[in-house]
């Protein structure tokens, strides 16, 4: 009672701002005390400028593609499919590599990203953490944070002090981009924060820092890890509550479908009766660990059929805000990965790591088009489903949910009751229409659901002045052109469809098609039946019905006439364009339609446009074509020749150098860090030995760590406990002689006893090279990101102790030198420290006539350098990857650098990644490139890379932004 009274006061504008904190979320028209805010919501949907909007969003981490000129390509591809939103984590660790030293430039620039989003015209939900999880090292925490005493993600004073600068600056960067000045419509507080369902002081402190730094025009959002209602009633912190769902899990090796949840609507009703059903993250793919099945398997787990069944189930539950995690995954370049993922973060997402479009993207495009064209969905109510004894389908193998809007538009979301059935099922459907209750199809045949198929069947569907009584085909979109209502319907090839449109027309003409669809006029309706095949067009009165098979419908694009504005109103496309790989925009100027897009292969361009259009250009070139009886223009679209040959590394000239000189007794480690610490604040203490040797305690937070332990006397061996995160490996040497390795398993730790062959009378040196697979995440939160890396424990056998331990990681540790590529890019191997991965390094003294294909014949590490030129036109999108051939029986690891950027960590014995995409801009597509690859043989026998080459995945004629090579320093500037 008290709350609603407060709310009334608020509406009257009488409230002091301080009291607005206790307003519950979801009060209509309310966002953070501003009833006049442009971005609000109620129990149905988001409202922007009082327009109801479906937020159809996808997750994209701009910092996972450090070539910023490619960001617009990803966002335009999302927008072209019908995404009107993008959800974005920001990475604290890569921004503040040293406490107090924040760098928001280059790929880290929130401002630059938001400018691109604004230019493209896509809404943004920012998720700055400070904790993000995201399968990234430390879950986004900087390595230095692991040295604090306090519990992270609590209100511990040292933790609070640590995030102040970052959160202050990120809020200040976002604030000028809040809608309507910019694209930001929400800012998420923390991430999957599971501690306490009540007021957590930490959350309140975060909220006040956001608000005090200008985030006061848009809702503060929250994503609950599961539908548990944490912060759902706001607790003065959160305006808009939602929860994550990954119904098919992350086991990419078993691509069976899990069951479909029927409970989402109930979750909303229970936790946010005044708010909409919001999925801040819904499964868009899956991550994959070392030794996993690879991202093509993850794609299969979450493919177009998964998207069809599971996303439509979200709509059956009336989700009106949905963000697919990931929509573009990108790359864990430069040590961004945490231990449970490898370099690729492709994620099996709809837009693949090389930015190519998948079949899942096409499925999503069909759904997004429908939702944006269908205002009635946003205010529909769930009327019933197969669970409450309502029988819609005549076959209990079909589960149906009925939603109905107050204007009587009905949505019947039908899917197979069993998500795992691969066989088709057929049924008829009892539906409600303004012409009474009907069982459809009425004129013979059945409706088919293929295995793993779902359909949204509508009745009383108004489009313009026309009305679909029902169709057993699905609606892609509709528009009105030249005062004629045009609707696009589709079904899988070979499926029977029946479409009934109310009309006063007395005749119908089939103006395009090959006999796939039959028509008749009966009882004030036009009835269209048949199996869609290609494009069929039926025309009557001021109505045109396009019926297509689903694959053909998938080639169509529905660009808006104002391509760069947000997709809030005017949802009806000005044109429909079929055929090309991608349409970025299409604008009509007088009698000319100018289409801008990408071509992957020559084919036919089909255009539905106003009659006044008599000329069509594609990327500026005039096309020749004709208009048919249906008014559809078609002409040949020829892919321009792409004059690009990709050189082969098979014939490359390599120079190589030993990259583990630290095993020699004579190696000078006097400038290395000397381990001095005897205590640690971490929960995980040393297991043996007097000194704390954890790399993070000495400022080394990523990549390989090298240790040199000195001792005199005649110890007979050593017992080592090493820790590097799951799948790590290490090798140990005594006085240059190989002792042995641990080659990697799902365990984050290995304890081994190594017997010494013989010791010197003077100084003995135990050299250890340890792989850091990234810091653990801190999901729970239990400070697991503080789990140490490096030597966890040591003990000499046969008497004595080490006289000193020297530690080396990346050059400079927290005072790293490469401002552009950032704090995480480099590890601690010799070739990295001397700068041999950088362009301009003088390798003339390195050994000639060697190759990673012949490799090394003993345990150790060798670095190989080569250069190659590319000459790929700026108007082509030619994603290039480095391809390794794995030898699973050979225990070796490689680090891959391209032009100074670390873009790969390869583990031959674990896999699965063998293909490493290098984004244009990191790779110089029009000039010289430097590639460095290492072989670290963990076996005494040595190792070689069975095959190594570069190759293009596709060659697309493209209108993406022209990508210049990222301006990054070379050897001369950095060493
Ligand atoms: C939303 O609120 C309206 C009016 O307050 C109410 O009539 C309707 O039933 C609510 N819908 C849901 C799904 O809670
Ligand atoms: C269409 O897209 C191209 C490529 O991104 C862009 O250069 C052009 O400005 C866009 N046209 C309009 C009208 O927005």
């Amino acid at each position: 009672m008290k709350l609603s009274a407060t709310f009334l006061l608020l509406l009257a504008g009488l409230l002091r701002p301080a009291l607005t904190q206790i307003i519950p979320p979801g009060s209509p028209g309310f966002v953070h005390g501003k009833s006049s805010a442009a971005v609000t919501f109620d129990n149905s949907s988001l409202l922007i400028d009082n327009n109801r909007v479906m937020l159809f969003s996808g997750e994209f981490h701009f910092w996972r593609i450090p070539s910023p000129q490619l960001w617009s390509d990803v966002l335009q591809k999302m927008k072209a499919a019908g995404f009107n939103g993008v959800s974005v984590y920001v990475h604290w660790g890569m921004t503040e590599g040293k406490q107090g030293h924040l760098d928001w430039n280059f790929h880290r620039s929130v401002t630059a990203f938001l400018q691109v989003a604004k230019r493209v015209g896509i809404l943004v939900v920012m998720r700055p953490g400070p904790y993000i999880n995201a399968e990234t090292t430390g879950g986004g925490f900087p390595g230095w944070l692991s040295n604090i005493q306090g519990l992270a993600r609590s209100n511990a004073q040292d933790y609070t002090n640590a995030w102040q600068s970052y959160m202050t600056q990120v809020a200040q960067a976002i604030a000028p981009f809040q809608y309507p000045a910019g694209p930001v419509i929400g800012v998420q507080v923390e991430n999957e924060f599971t501690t306490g369902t009540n007021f957590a002081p930490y959350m309140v402190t975060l909220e006040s820092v956001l608000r005090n730094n200008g985030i006061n025009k848009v809702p503060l959002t929250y994503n609950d890890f599961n539908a548990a209602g944490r912060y759902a009633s706001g607790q003065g912190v959160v305006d808009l509550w939602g929860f994550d769902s990954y119904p098919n899990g992350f086991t990419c090796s078993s691509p069976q479908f899990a069951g479909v949840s029927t409970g989402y609507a109930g979750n909303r009703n229970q936790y946010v009766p005044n708010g909409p059903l919001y999925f801040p993250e819904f499964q868009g793919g899956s991550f994959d660990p070392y030794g996993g099945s690879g991202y093509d398997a993850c794609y299969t787990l979450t493919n177009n059929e998964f998207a069809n069944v599971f996303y439509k189930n979200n709509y059956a539950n009336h989700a009106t805000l949905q963000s697919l995690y990931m929509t573009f995954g990108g790359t864990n370049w430069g040590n961004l990965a945490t231990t449970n993922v490898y370099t690729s973060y492709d994620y099996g997402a709809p837009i693949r790591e090389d930015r190519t479009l998948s079949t899942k993207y096409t499925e999503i495009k069909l759904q997004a088009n429908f939702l944006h064209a269908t205002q009635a969905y946003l205010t529909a109510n769930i009327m019933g489903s197969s669970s409450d004894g309502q029988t819609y389908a005549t076959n209990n193998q079909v589960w149906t949910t009925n939603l109905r809007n107050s204007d009587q538009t009905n949505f019947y979301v039908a899917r197979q009751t069993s998500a795992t059935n691969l066989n088709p099922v057929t049924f008829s459907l009892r539906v409600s229409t303004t012409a009474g209750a009907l069982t459809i199809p009425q004129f013979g045949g059945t409706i088919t659901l293929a295995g793993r198929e779902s359909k949204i069947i509508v009745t009383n569907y108004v489009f313009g002045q026309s009305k679909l009584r029902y169709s057993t085909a699905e609606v892609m979109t509709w528009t009105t052109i030249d005062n004629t209502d045009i609707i696009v319907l589709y079904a899988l090839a070979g499926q029977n469809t029946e479409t009934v449109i109310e009309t006063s027309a007395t005749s119908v003409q089939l103006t395009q098609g090959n006999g796939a669809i039959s028509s008749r006029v009966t009882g004030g309706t036009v009835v269209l039946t048949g199996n869609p095949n290609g494009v069929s067009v039926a025309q009557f009165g001021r109505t045109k019905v396009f019926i297509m098979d689903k694959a053909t419908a998938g080639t169509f694009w529905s660009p808006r006439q104002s391509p760069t504005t947000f997709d809030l109103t005017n949802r009806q496309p000005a044109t429909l364009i079929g055929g090309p790989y991608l349409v970025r925009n299409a604008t009509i100027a007088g009698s000319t339609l100018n289409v801008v897009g990408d071509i992957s292969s020559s084919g036919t361009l089909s255009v539905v446009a106003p009659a006044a259009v008599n000329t069509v250009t594609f990327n500026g070139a005039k096309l020749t074509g004709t208009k048919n009886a249906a008014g559809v223009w078609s002409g040949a679209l020829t892919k321009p020749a792409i004059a690009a040959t990709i050189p082969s590394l098979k014939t490359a000239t390599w120079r190589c150098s030993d990259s583990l000189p630290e095993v020699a007794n004579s190696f000078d480690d006097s400038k290395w860090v000397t381990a001095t610490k005897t205590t640690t604040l971490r929960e995980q203490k040393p297991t043996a030995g007097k000194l704390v040797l954890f790399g993070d305690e000495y400022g080394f937070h990523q990549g390989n760590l090298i240790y040199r332990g000195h001792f005199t006397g005649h110890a007979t061996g050593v017992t080592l406990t090493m820790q590097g995160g799951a799948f790590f490996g290490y090798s140990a040497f005594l006085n240059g002689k190989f002792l042995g390795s641990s080659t990697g398993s799902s365990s984050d730790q290995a304890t081994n006893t190594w017997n010494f062959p013989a010791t010197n009378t003077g100084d003995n040196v135990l050299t250890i090279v340890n792989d850091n697979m990234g810091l653990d995440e801190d999901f729970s939160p239990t400070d697991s990101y503080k789990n140490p890396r490096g030597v966890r424990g040591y003990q000499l056998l046969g008497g004595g102790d080490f006289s000193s331990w020297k530690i080396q990681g990346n050059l400079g540790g927290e005072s790293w030198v490469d401002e552009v590529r950032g704090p995480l890019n480099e590890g601690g191997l010799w070739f990295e420290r001397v700068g041999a991965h950088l362009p301009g390094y003088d390798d003339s003294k390195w050994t000639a006539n060697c190759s990673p294909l012949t490799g090394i014949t003993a345990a150790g590490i060798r670095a190989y350098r080569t250069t190659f030129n590319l000459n790929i036109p700026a108007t082509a999108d030619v994603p290039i990857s480095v391809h390794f051939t794995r030898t699973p029986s050979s225990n070796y690891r490689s680090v891959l650098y391209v032009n100074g950027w670390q873009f790969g960590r390869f583990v031959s014995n674990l896999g699965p990644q063998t293909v490493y995409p290098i984004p244009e801009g990191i790779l110089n597509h029009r000039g010289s490139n430097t590639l460095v690859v290492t072989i670290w043989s963990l076996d005494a026998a040595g190792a070689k890379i069975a095959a190594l080459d570069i190759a293009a995945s596709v060659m697309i004629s493209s209108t993406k932004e022209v990508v210049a090579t990222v301006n990054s320093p070379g050897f001369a500037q950095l060493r």
Side-chain angles (χ1 to χ4, degrees), residues 721-850:
T721 296
M722 300 299 299
Q723 193 162 301
F727 307 107
F728 87 111
Y730 83 93
S731 296
F733 300 79
L734 182 76
N735 299 331
K737 292 202 178 63
F738 179 55
L739 296 174
S741 297
S742 173
T743 58
S745 71
S746 59
S747 172
D748 73 343
Q749 207 188 71
T751 299
N752 304 90
T753 293
W754 307 112
N755 295 319
F756 293 155
T759 48
N760 296 328
T761 45
D763 183 35
N764 291 287
V765 183
L766 176 72
T767 303
I768 306 167
V769 54
N770 190 66
D771 218 358
N772 177 353
M773 309 310 286
L775 302 183
D776 290 316
E777 295 176 304
D778 188 35
F779 183 79
S780 290
T782 52
D783 268 0
S784 48
Y785 78 105
K786 292 179 178 171
N787 293 343
R789 297 291 179 257
V791 178
R792 179 84 190 272
Y794 61 90
Q795 187 178 12
L796 279 179
L797 306 178
D801 194 0
F802 291 89
S803 53
S804 73
W805 278 95
K806 300 292 239 176
I807 307 179
Q808 182 64 61
N810 68 301
L811 182 71
E814 288 173 13
S815 301
W816 78 101
V817 292
D818 189 342
E819 282 296 337
V820 175
R821 299 179 185 91
L824 297 174
N825 187 54
E826 294 174 4
L829 295 180
W830 175 84
F831 83 98
E832 294 169 302
R833 291 173 356 238
V834 301
H837 59 297
L838 296 165
Y841 175 82
D842 179 8
D843 62 13
S844 61
K845 296 211 176 61
W846 284 24
T847 309
N849 298 322
C850 55

Side-chain angles (χ1 to χ4, degrees), residues 446-468:
T446 52
I447 310 172
T448 300
L449 282 177
R452 297 176 173 177
E453 194 196 357
S454 176
K455 278 186 165 74
I456 303 176
I457 292 169
V458 294
T459 71
N460 305 328
Y461 186 89
V462 174
F463 58 107
Q465 303 295 310
S466 306
K467 184 173 161 196
L468 195 61

Side-chain angles (χ1 to χ4, degrees), residues 392 394 427-431 436-443 470 498:
Y392 299 101
T394 56
F427 64 104
S428 297
L429 192 64
R430 299 182 188 97
V431 298
L438 299 174
T439 299
I440 60 171
Q442 298 182 84
F443 303 101
Y470 66 85
E498 181 176 289

Side-chain angles (χ1 to χ4, degrees), residues 76 563-564 584-585 587 596 959:
Q76 286 176 348
T564 57
R584 292 178 200 268
N585 59 57
T587 43
V596 175
T959 45

